[in-house]
Amino acid sequence: MTDHPTYETILTETPAPGVGVVRFNRPKALNALNAQMTGEAFTALEIFDRDPSIGCMILTGSDRAFAAGADIKEMHGKTAVDMFMGGDVTDWSRLTKIGKPIIAAVSGFALGGGCEIAMTCDMIVASETAAFGQPEINLGILPGAGGTQRMTRAIGKTLAMEVMLIDRRLTAEEALHYGLVNRVAPVETYFHEAVELAKKVAERSQVAIRLTKEAVNKAFETSLAEGLTYEKRLFYLLFGTEDKAEGMGAFVEKRQPVWKNR
């Protein structure tokens, strides 16, 4: 297990073998995303990503709020040049470079930047109280950390327009219906559901998991023909791994595979 530095705005834990958790911890601000908290969260996720004992991560907040948006007090007064030269609150490229899957465990408010950071994760487990929205229009701005792009891809143009133009909030059940989240559970059990899902991911070949995540994400960036070519290359690449030999050998021999993650 890799050691983590001391954090001021997040908490980390490993609640189950192979599972690393990063928890937003600014309760008085409903976990509003400021540069310090996002920076610490990304650092913690990167450390888990490098840790060979961790196969999947969970990003979460409190039962009341996953993250209620960006910290407006931090953004108020900034100019266009300020944001362009140092937009730490909205530049989440570090998160998209993490190789291992990340599950967002969302309860309560997931608004603005909170909704965007959840959508940047690979899967979402929501509590029954989760509320997803992009209320930036009320501030005279638009979602600037992927909301216009990821929300539209997830739920379609017309509903995304309603969410962003008139601040419509999606309930957990609506988010499930429209394909924004994977599953919905009671507040008392949603985090446990996320841990169980993460455990199942962590139990697989980490080489295959990483490349599968890479291939799925590629589908949002390329044409179908380019994506199929990319997929084929990764498929062939896995035939050079020890895990491929172990997985197929275990299937033929009717036993459970023992992954070496190489």
Coordinates of all heavy atoms in Angstrom, one line a residue, residues 96-186:
T96 N -8.9 12.5 -16.1 CA -9.1 11.7 -17.3 C -7.9 10.9 -17.7 O -8.0 9.9 -18.5 CB -9.5 12.6 -18.5 OG1 -8.4 13.5 -18.8 CG2 -10.7 13.4 -18.2
K97 N -6.7 11.1 -17.1 CA -5.5 10.4 -17.4 C -5.3 9.2 -16.4 O -4.4 8.4 -16.6 CB -4.3 11.3 -17.3 CG -4.3 12.4 -18.4 CD -3.2 13.3 -18.2 CE -3.2 14.4 -19.3 NZ -2.2 15.5 -19.1
I98 N -6.2 9.0 -15.5 CA -6.1 7.9 -14.5 C -6.5 6.6 -15.2 O -7.6 6.5 -15.8 CB -6.9 8.2 -13.2 CG1 -6.2 9.3 -12.5 CG2 -7.0 6.9 -12.4 CD1 -7.0 9.8 -11.3
G99 N -5.7 5.6 -15.1 CA -5.9 4.3 -15.9 C -6.9 3.4 -15.2 O -7.7 2.7 -16.0
K100 N -7.0 3.3 -13.9 CA -7.9 2.4 -13.3 C -9.3 3.0 -13.2 O -9.5 4.3 -13.2 CB -7.4 2.1 -11.8 CG -6.1 1.4 -11.8 CD -5.6 1.3 -10.4 CE -4.2 0.6 -10.4 NZ -3.6 0.5 -9.0
P101 N -10.3 2.2 -13.2 CA -11.7 2.7 -13.2 C -12.0 3.5 -11.9 O -11.5 3.1 -10.8 CB -12.6 1.4 -13.3 CG -11.7 0.4 -13.9 CD -10.3 0.7 -13.4
I102 N -12.8 4.5 -12.0 CA -13.3 5.3 -10.9 C -14.8 5.3 -10.8 O -15.5 5.6 -11.8 CB -12.8 6.8 -11.0 CG1 -11.3 6.8 -11.2 CG2 -13.2 7.6 -9.7 CD1 -10.8 8.2 -11.5
I103 N -15.3 4.9 -9.7 CA -16.8 4.9 -9.5 C -17.1 6.1 -8.6 O -16.6 6.3 -7.5 CB -17.2 3.6 -8.8 CG1 -16.9 2.4 -9.6 CG2 -18.7 3.7 -8.4 CD1 -17.1 1.1 -8.9
A104 N -18.1 6.9 -9.0 CA -18.6 8.0 -8.2 C -19.7 7.5 -7.4 O -20.7 6.9 -7.9 CB -19.1 9.2 -9.1
A105 N -19.6 7.6 -6.1 CA -20.7 7.2 -5.2 C -21.4 8.5 -4.7 O -20.8 9.3 -4.0 CB -20.2 6.5 -4.0
V106 N -22.6 8.8 -5.3 CA -23.2 10.1 -5.2 C -24.5 10.0 -4.3 O -25.4 9.3 -4.6 CB -23.6 10.6 -6.6 CG1 -24.3 12.0 -6.5 CG2 -22.3 10.7 -7.4
S107 N -24.5 10.9 -3.3 CA -25.7 11.1 -2.5 C -26.0 12.6 -2.4 O -25.0 13.4 -2.3 CB -25.5 10.5 -1.1 OG -26.8 10.6 -0.4
G108 N -27.2 13.0 -2.3 CA -27.5 14.4 -2.1 C -27.1 15.2 -3.4 O -27.3 14.8 -4.5
F109 N -26.7 16.4 -3.1 CA -26.4 17.4 -4.3 C -25.2 16.9 -5.1 O -24.1 16.7 -4.6 CB -26.1 18.8 -3.7 CG -27.3 19.4 -3.0 CD1 -27.2 19.6 -1.6 CD2 -28.5 19.6 -3.6 CE1 -28.3 20.2 -0.9 CE2 -29.6 20.2 -2.9 CZ -29.5 20.4 -1.5
A110 N -25.4 16.9 -6.4 CA -24.3 16.7 -7.4 C -24.6 17.8 -8.4 O -25.2 17.5 -9.5 CB -24.3 15.3 -8.0
L111 N -24.3 19.0 -8.2 CA -24.7 20.1 -9.0 C -23.4 20.8 -9.6 O -22.4 20.8 -9.0 CB -25.5 21.1 -8.2 CG -26.7 20.6 -7.4 CD1 -27.4 21.7 -6.6 CD2 -27.7 20.0 -8.4
G112 N -23.6 21.4 -10.7 CA -22.5 22.2 -11.4 C -21.3 21.3 -11.5 O -21.3 20.2 -12.1
G113 N -20.2 21.8 -10.9 CA -19.0 21.0 -11.0 C -19.1 19.7 -10.3 O -18.4 18.7 -10.7
G114 N -19.9 19.5 -9.3 CA -20.2 18.2 -8.7 C -20.7 17.2 -9.6 O -20.3 16.1 -9.7
C115 N -21.7 17.7 -10.5 CA -22.3 16.8 -11.5 C -21.2 16.5 -12.5 O -21.1 15.3 -13.0 CB -23.5 17.5 -12.1 SG -24.4 16.5 -13.3
E116 N -20.4 17.5 -12.9 CA -19.4 17.3 -14.0 C -18.3 16.3 -13.5 O -17.9 15.5 -14.3 CB -18.8 18.6 -14.3 CG -19.8 19.5 -15.1 CD -19.3 20.9 -15.3 OE1 -18.9 21.6 -14.3 OE2 -19.2 21.4 -16.5
I117 N -17.9 16.4 -12.3 CA -16.8 15.5 -11.8 C -17.4 14.1 -11.7 O -16.6 13.1 -11.9 CB -16.2 16.0 -10.5 CG1 -14.8 15.5 -10.4 CG2 -17.0 15.7 -9.3 CD1 -13.9 16.2 -9.3
A118 N -18.6 14.0 -11.3 CA -19.2 12.6 -11.2 C -19.3 12.0 -12.6 O -19.0 10.8 -12.8 CB -20.6 12.7 -10.6
M119 N -19.7 12.8 -13.6 CA -19.8 12.3 -15.0 C -18.4 12.0 -15.6 O -18.3 11.2 -16.5 CB -20.5 13.3 -15.9 CG -22.0 13.5 -15.6 SD -22.9 14.4 -16.8 CE -22.1 16.0 -16.6
T120 N -17.3 12.6 -15.1 CA -16.0 12.3 -15.5 C -15.5 10.9 -15.1 O -14.7 10.3 -15.7 CB -15.0 13.4 -15.0 OG1 -15.5 14.7 -15.4 CG2 -13.6 13.2 -15.6
C121 N -16.1 10.5 -14.0 CA -15.8 9.1 -13.5 C -16.4 8.1 -14.5 O -17.1 8.4 -15.4 CB -16.4 8.9 -12.1 SG -15.7 10.0 -10.8
D122 N -16.0 6.8 -14.3 CA -16.4 5.8 -15.2 C -17.8 5.1 -14.9 O -18.4 4.7 -15.9 CB -15.3 4.7 -15.2 CG -13.9 5.2 -15.5 OD1 -13.8 5.7 -16.7 OD2 -13.1 5.3 -14.7
M123 N -18.2 5.1 -13.7 CA -19.5 4.6 -13.3 C -20.0 5.5 -12.2 O -19.2 6.1 -11.5 CB -19.4 3.2 -12.9 CG -19.1 2.2 -14.1 SD -19.0 0.5 -13.6 CE -17.4 0.4 -12.9
I124 N -21.4 5.5 -12.0 CA -22.0 6.2 -10.9 C -23.0 5.4 -10.2 O -23.9 4.8 -10.8 CB -22.7 7.5 -11.4 CG1 -21.7 8.4 -12.2 CG2 -23.3 8.3 -10.3 CD1 -22.4 9.6 -12.8
V125 N -22.8 5.3 -8.9 CA -23.8 4.7 -8.0 C -24.4 5.8 -7.2 O -23.7 6.6 -6.5 CB -23.2 3.6 -7.1 CG1 -24.2 3.1 -6.1 CG2 -22.6 2.5 -7.9
A126 N -25.7 5.9 -7.3 CA -26.4 7.0 -6.6 C -27.3 6.6 -5.5 O -27.9 5.5 -5.5 CB -27.3 7.8 -7.7
S127 N -27.4 7.4 -4.5 CA -28.4 7.2 -3.5 C -29.8 7.7 -3.9 O -29.8 8.5 -4.9 CB -28.0 7.8 -2.1 OG -28.5 9.2 -2.1
E128 N -30.8 7.3 -3.3 CA -32.2 7.8 -3.6 C -32.3 9.3 -3.5 O -33.3 9.9 -4.1 CB -33.2 7.1 -2.8 CG -33.3 5.6 -3.1 CD -34.2 4.8 -2.1 OE1 -34.4 5.3 -0.9 OE2 -34.8 3.8 -2.5
T129 N -31.5 9.9 -2.7 CA -31.6 11.4 -2.6 C -30.7 12.2 -3.5 O -30.7 13.4 -3.5 CB -31.2 11.8 -1.1 OG1 -29.8 11.5 -1.0 CG2 -32.0 11.0 -0.1
A130 N -30.0 11.5 -4.4 CA -29.1 12.2 -5.3 C -29.9 13.1 -6.2 O -31.0 12.8 -6.7 CB -28.3 11.2 -6.1
A131 N -29.3 14.3 -6.5 CA -29.9 15.3 -7.4 C -28.8 15.8 -8.3 O -27.8 16.3 -7.8 CB -30.6 16.4 -6.6
F132 N -29.0 15.6 -9.6 CA -28.0 16.0 -10.6 C -28.5 17.2 -11.4 O -29.6 17.3 -11.8 CB -27.8 14.8 -11.6 CG -27.2 13.6 -11.0 CD1 -28.1 12.6 -10.4 CD2 -25.9 13.3 -10.9 CE1 -27.7 11.5 -9.8 CE2 -25.4 12.2 -10.3 CZ -26.3 11.2 -9.8
G133 N -27.6 18.2 -11.5 CA -28.0 19.4 -12.3 C -26.8 20.2 -12.7 O -25.7 20.1 -12.2
Q134 N -27.1 21.1 -13.6 CA -26.1 22.1 -14.1 C -26.7 23.5 -14.0 O -27.2 24.0 -15.0 CB -25.7 21.8 -15.5 CG -25.1 20.4 -15.7 CD -23.7 20.2 -15.1 OE1 -23.2 19.1 -15.0 NE2 -23.0 21.3 -14.8
P135 N -26.7 24.1 -12.8 CA -27.3 25.4 -12.6 C -26.5 26.6 -12.9 O -26.9 27.7 -12.5 CB -27.6 25.3 -11.1 CG -26.5 24.6 -10.5 CD -26.1 23.5 -11.5
E136 N -25.5 26.5 -13.7 CA -24.6 27.6 -14.0 C -25.3 28.7 -14.7 O -24.9 29.9 -14.5 CB -23.4 27.1 -14.9 CG -22.4 26.3 -14.2 CD -22.7 24.8 -14.2 OE1 -23.9 24.4 -14.5 OE2 -21.8 24.0 -13.8
I137 N -26.4 28.4 -15.4 CA -27.1 29.5 -16.1 C -27.6 30.6 -15.1 O -27.7 31.7 -15.5 CB -28.3 28.9 -16.9 CG1 -28.8 29.9 -17.9 CG2 -29.4 28.5 -15.9 CD1 -27.9 30.0 -19.1
N138 N -27.9 30.2 -13.9 CA -28.3 31.1 -12.8 C -27.2 32.1 -12.4 O -27.5 33.1 -11.8 CB -28.8 30.4 -11.6 CG -30.0 29.5 -11.9 OD1 -30.8 29.8 -12.7 ND2 -30.1 28.3 -11.2
L139 N -26.0 31.8 -12.8 CA -24.9 32.7 -12.5 C -24.4 33.5 -13.7 O -23.4 34.2 -13.6 CB -23.7 31.9 -11.9 CG -24.0 31.0 -10.7 CD1 -22.8 30.1 -10.4 CD2 -24.3 31.9 -9.5
G140 N -25.1 33.3 -14.8 CA -24.7 34.0 -16.0 C -23.5 33.3 -16.7 O -22.9 34.0 -17.5
I141 N -23.3 32.1 -16.5 CA -22.2 31.3 -17.1 C -22.8 30.0 -17.6 O -24.0 29.7 -17.5 CB -21.0 31.1 -16.2 CG1 -21.4 30.3 -14.9 CG2 -20.4 32.4 -15.8 CD1 -20.3 29.9 -14.0
L142 N -21.9 29.2 -18.2 CA -22.3 27.8 -18.6 C -21.4 26.8 -18.0 O -20.3 27.2 -17.4 CB -22.3 27.7 -20.1 CG -21.0 28.0 -20.9 CD1 -20.0 26.9 -20.8 CD2 -21.4 28.2 -22.4
P143 N -21.8 25.5 -18.0 CA -20.9 24.5 -17.4 C -19.5 24.5 -18.1 O -19.5 24.5 -19.4 CB -21.6 23.2 -17.7 CG -23.1 23.6 -17.8 CD -23.0 25.0 -18.4
G144 N -18.4 24.6 -17.4 CA -17.1 24.8 -18.0 C -16.2 23.6 -17.7 O -15.0 23.8 -18.0
A145 N -16.7 22.5 -17.2 CA -15.8 21.4 -16.9 C -16.4 20.1 -17.5 O -16.3 19.0 -16.9 CB -15.6 21.2 -15.4
G146 N -17.0 20.3 -18.6 CA -17.4 19.1 -19.4 C -18.9 18.9 -19.3 O -19.4 18.0 -20.0
G147 N -19.7 19.7 -18.6 CA -21.1 19.5 -18.5 C -21.9 19.5 -19.8 O -22.7 18.6 -20.1
T148 N -21.6 20.5 -20.7 CA -22.3 20.6 -21.9 C -22.0 19.4 -22.8 O -22.9 19.0 -23.7 CB -22.0 21.9 -22.7 OG1 -20.6 21.8 -23.0 CG2 -22.3 23.1 -21.9
Q149 N -20.9 18.8 -22.7 CA -20.5 17.7 -23.5 C -20.9 16.3 -23.0 O -21.5 15.5 -23.6 CB -19.0 17.7 -23.8 CG -18.5 19.0 -24.3 CD -19.1 19.4 -25.6 OE1 -19.1 18.6 -26.6 NE2 -19.8 20.5 -25.7
R150 N -20.5 16.1 -21.7 CA -20.8 14.7 -21.1 C -22.3 14.5 -20.8 O -22.8 13.4 -21.0 CB -20.0 14.5 -19.9 CG -18.5 14.4 -20.1 CD -17.7 13.9 -18.9 NE -16.3 13.7 -19.3 CZ -15.3 14.6 -19.2 NH1 -15.6 15.8 -18.7 NH2 -14.1 14.3 -19.5
M151 N -23.0 15.6 -20.3 CA -24.4 15.4 -20.1 C -25.2 15.2 -21.4 O -26.1 14.3 -21.4 CB -24.9 16.7 -19.4 CG -26.4 16.7 -19.1 SD -26.9 15.6 -17.7 CE -26.3 16.5 -16.3
T152 N -24.8 15.9 -22.4 CA -25.5 15.7 -23.7 C -25.3 14.3 -24.2 O -26.2 13.7 -24.7 CB -25.0 16.8 -24.7 OG1 -25.2 18.1 -24.2 CG2 -25.8 16.6 -26.0
R153 N -24.1 13.8 -24.1 CA -23.8 12.4 -24.6 C -24.5 11.4 -23.8 O -24.9 10.4 -24.3 CB -22.3 12.2 -24.5 CG -21.5 12.8 -25.7 CD -20.0 12.8 -25.4 NE -19.2 13.1 -26.6 CZ -19.0 14.3 -27.1 NH1 -19.6 15.3 -26.4 NH2 -18.3 14.5 -28.1
A154 N -24.8 11.7 -22.5 CA -25.4 10.7 -21.6 C -26.9 10.7 -21.7 O -27.5 9.6 -21.8 CB -25.0 11.0 -20.1
I155 N -27.6 11.9 -21.8 CA -29.0 11.9 -21.7 C -29.7 12.4 -23.0 O -30.9 12.5 -23.1 CB -29.5 12.7 -20.5 CG1 -29.1 14.2 -20.7 CG2 -28.9 12.1 -19.2 CD1 -29.7 15.1 -19.6
G156 N -28.9 12.9 -24.0 CA -29.5 13.4 -25.2 C -29.6 14.9 -25.2 O -29.6 15.6 -24.2
K157 N -29.7 15.5 -26.4 CA -29.6 16.9 -26.6 C -30.8 17.6 -25.9 O -30.6 18.6 -25.2 CB -29.6 17.3 -28.1 CG -29.7 18.8 -28.4 CD -29.8 19.0 -29.9 CE -30.1 20.5 -30.1 NZ -30.2 20.8 -31.6
T158 N -32.0 17.2 -26.2 CA -33.2 17.9 -25.8 C -33.3 18.0 -24.2 O -33.6 19.1 -23.7 CB -34.5 17.3 -26.3 OG1 -34.6 15.9 -26.0 CG2 -34.5 17.5 -27.9
L159 N -33.1 16.9 -23.5 CA -33.1 16.9 -22.1 C -32.0 17.7 -21.5 O -32.1 18.4 -20.5 CB -33.2 15.5 -21.5 CG -33.4 15.4 -20.0 CD1 -34.6 16.2 -19.5 CD2 -33.4 14.0 -19.6
A160 N -30.8 17.6 -22.1 CA -29.6 18.3 -21.7 C -29.9 19.8 -21.8 O -29.5 20.6 -20.9 CB -28.4 17.9 -22.5
M161 N -30.5 20.2 -22.8 CA -30.9 21.6 -23.0 C -31.8 22.1 -21.8 O -31.5 23.2 -21.2 CB -31.6 21.9 -24.3 CG -30.8 21.8 -25.5 SD -29.7 23.3 -25.7 CE -29.1 23.1 -27.3
E162 N -32.7 21.3 -21.5 CA -33.6 21.7 -20.3 C -32.9 21.7 -19.0 O -33.1 22.6 -18.2 CB -34.8 20.6 -20.2 CG -35.9 21.1 -19.3 CD -37.1 20.1 -19.4 OE1 -37.2 19.3 -20.3 OE2 -38.0 20.3 -18.5
V163 N -32.0 20.7 -18.8 CA -31.2 20.7 -17.6 C -30.3 22.0 -17.5 O -30.2 22.6 -16.4 CB -30.3 19.5 -17.5 CG1 -29.2 19.6 -16.4 CG2 -31.1 18.2 -17.3
M164 N -29.7 22.4 -18.6 CA -28.8 23.5 -18.6 C -29.4 24.9 -18.8 O -28.9 25.9 -18.3 CB -27.6 23.3 -19.5 CG -26.7 22.2 -19.0 SD -25.4 21.8 -20.2 CE -26.0 20.2 -20.8
L165 N -30.5 25.0 -19.5 CA -31.1 26.3 -19.8 C -32.1 26.8 -18.8 O -32.2 28.0 -18.6 CB -31.8 26.2 -21.2 CG -30.9 26.0 -22.4 CD1 -31.8 26.0 -23.7 CD2 -29.8 27.0 -22.5
I166 N -32.8 25.8 -18.1 CA -33.7 26.3 -17.0 C -33.4 25.6 -15.7 O -34.3 25.7 -14.8 CB -35.2 26.0 -17.4 CG1 -35.4 24.5 -17.5 CG2 -35.5 26.7 -18.8 CD1 -36.9 24.1 -17.7
D167 N -32.2 25.1 -15.5 CA -31.8 24.5 -14.2 C -32.8 23.4 -13.8 O -33.2 23.3 -12.6 CB -31.7 25.6 -13.2 CG -31.1 25.1 -11.8 OD1 -30.5 24.0 -11.8 OD2 -31.4 25.8 -10.8
R168 N -33.1 22.5 -14.7 CA -33.9 21.3 -14.3 C -33.0 20.3 -13.5 O -31.9 20.0 -14.0 CB -34.5 20.6 -15.5 CG -35.2 19.3 -15.1 CD -35.9 18.6 -16.2 NE -36.3 17.3 -15.8 CZ -37.0 16.5 -16.6 NH1 -37.4 16.9 -17.8 NH2 -37.3 15.3 -16.2
R169 N -33.4 19.9 -12.4 CA -32.6 18.9 -11.6 C -33.2 17.5 -11.9 O -34.4 17.2 -12.0 CB -32.8 19.1 -10.1 CG -32.4 20.6 -9.7 CD -31.0 20.9 -9.8 NE -30.7 22.4 -9.6 CZ -30.5 23.0 -8.5 NH1 -30.6 22.3 -7.3 NH2 -30.3 24.3 -8.4
L170 N -32.3 16.5 -12.1 CA -32.7 15.2 -12.3 C -32.6 14.4 -11.0 O -31.6 14.4 -10.3 CB -31.7 14.5 -13.3 CG -31.7 15.1 -14.7 CD1 -30.7 14.3 -15.6 CD2 -33.0 15.0 -15.4
T171 N -33.7 13.7 -10.7 CA -33.7 12.8 -9.5 C -32.8 11.6 -9.8 O -32.4 11.3 -11.0 CB -35.1 12.4 -9.1 OG1 -35.6 11.5 -10.2 CG2 -36.0 13.6 -9.0
A172 N -32.5 10.9 -8.8 CA -31.7 9.6 -9.0 C -32.4 8.7 -9.9 O -31.8 8.1 -10.8 CB -31.5 9.0 -7.6
E173 N -33.8 8.5 -9.8 CA -34.5 7.6 -10.6 C -34.5 8.1 -12.1 O -34.4 7.3 -13.0 CB -35.9 7.4 -10.1 CG -36.0 6.6 -8.8 CD -35.5 5.2 -9.0 OE1 -35.6 4.6 -10.1 OE2 -35.0 4.6 -8.0
E174 N -34.6 9.4 -12.3 CA -34.6 10.0 -13.6 C -33.2 9.7 -14.2 O -33.0 9.4 -15.4 CB -34.9 11.4 -13.6 CG -36.4 11.8 -13.4 CD -36.6 13.2 -13.3 OE1 -35.8 14.0 -12.7 OE2 -37.7 13.7 -13.8
A175 N -32.2 10.0 -13.4 CA -30.8 9.7 -13.9 C -30.6 8.3 -14.3 O -29.9 8.0 -15.3 CB -29.8 10.2 -12.8
L176 N -31.2 7.4 -13.5 CA -31.1 6.0 -13.9 C -31.8 5.7 -15.2 O -31.3 5.0 -16.1 CB -31.6 5.1 -12.8 CG -31.6 3.6 -13.0 CD1 -30.2 3.1 -13.0 CD2 -32.4 2.9 -11.8
H177 N -33.0 6.2 -15.3 CA -33.8 6.0 -16.5 C -33.1 6.5 -17.8 O -33.2 5.9 -18.8 CB -35.2 6.7 -16.3 CG -36.0 6.7 -17.6 ND1 -36.7 5.6 -18.0 CD2 -36.3 7.7 -18.5 CE1 -37.4 5.8 -19.1 NE2 -37.2 7.1 -19.4
Y178 N -32.5 7.7 -17.7 CA -31.8 8.2 -18.9 C -30.4 7.8 -19.1 O -29.7 8.2 -20.0 CB -31.9 9.8 -18.8 CG -33.3 10.3 -18.9 CD1 -33.9 11.0 -17.8 CD2 -33.9 10.2 -20.1 CE1 -35.2 11.5 -17.9 CE2 -35.2 10.7 -20.2 CZ -35.8 11.4 -19.1 OH -37.1 11.9 -19.3
G179 N -29.9 6.9 -18.2 CA -28.6 6.3 -18.4 C -27.4 7.1 -17.9 O -26.3 6.8 -18.2
L180 N -27.7 8.0 -17.0 CA -26.6 8.8 -16.4 C -25.9 8.1 -15.3 O -24.7 8.3 -15.1 CB -27.2 10.1 -15.9 CG -26.2 11.2 -15.4 CD1 -25.3 11.6 -16.5 CD2 -26.9 12.3 -14.7
V181 N -26.7 7.2 -14.6 CA -26.1 6.4 -13.5 C -26.3 4.9 -13.7 O -27.1 4.5 -14.5 CB -26.7 6.8 -12.1 CG1 -26.6 8.3 -11.9 CG2 -28.1 6.4 -11.9
N182 N -25.5 4.1 -13.0 CA -25.5 2.7 -13.1 C -26.6 2.1 -12.3 O -27.3 1.1 -12.7 CB -24.2 2.0 -12.7 CG -23.1 2.4 -13.7 OD1 -22.6 3.5 -13.6 ND2 -22.7 1.5 -14.5
R183 N -26.8 2.6 -11.1 CA -27.8 2.0 -10.2 C -28.1 3.0 -9.1 O -27.3 3.9 -8.8 CB -27.3 0.7 -9.6 CG -26.0 0.8 -8.7 CD -25.4 -0.6 -8.4 NE -25.0 -1.3 -9.6 CZ -24.3 -2.4 -9.6 NH1 -24.1 -3.1 -8.5 NH2 -23.9 -3.0 -10.8
V184 N -29.3 2.7 -8.4 CA -29.7 3.6 -7.3 C -30.0 2.7 -6.1 O -30.6 1.6 -6.2 CB -31.0 4.4 -7.7 CG1 -31.6 5.2 -6.5 CG2 -30.8 5.3 -8.9
A185 N -29.6 3.2 -4.9 CA -29.8 2.4 -3.7 C -30.2 3.4 -2.6 O -30.0 4.6 -2.7 CB -28.5 1.7 -3.3
P186 N -30.7 2.9 -1.5 CA -31.1 3.7 -0.4 C -29.8 4.4 0.2 O -28.7 4.0 0.0 CB -31.6 2.7 0.7 CG -32.1 1.6 -0.1 CD -31.2 1.5 -1.3

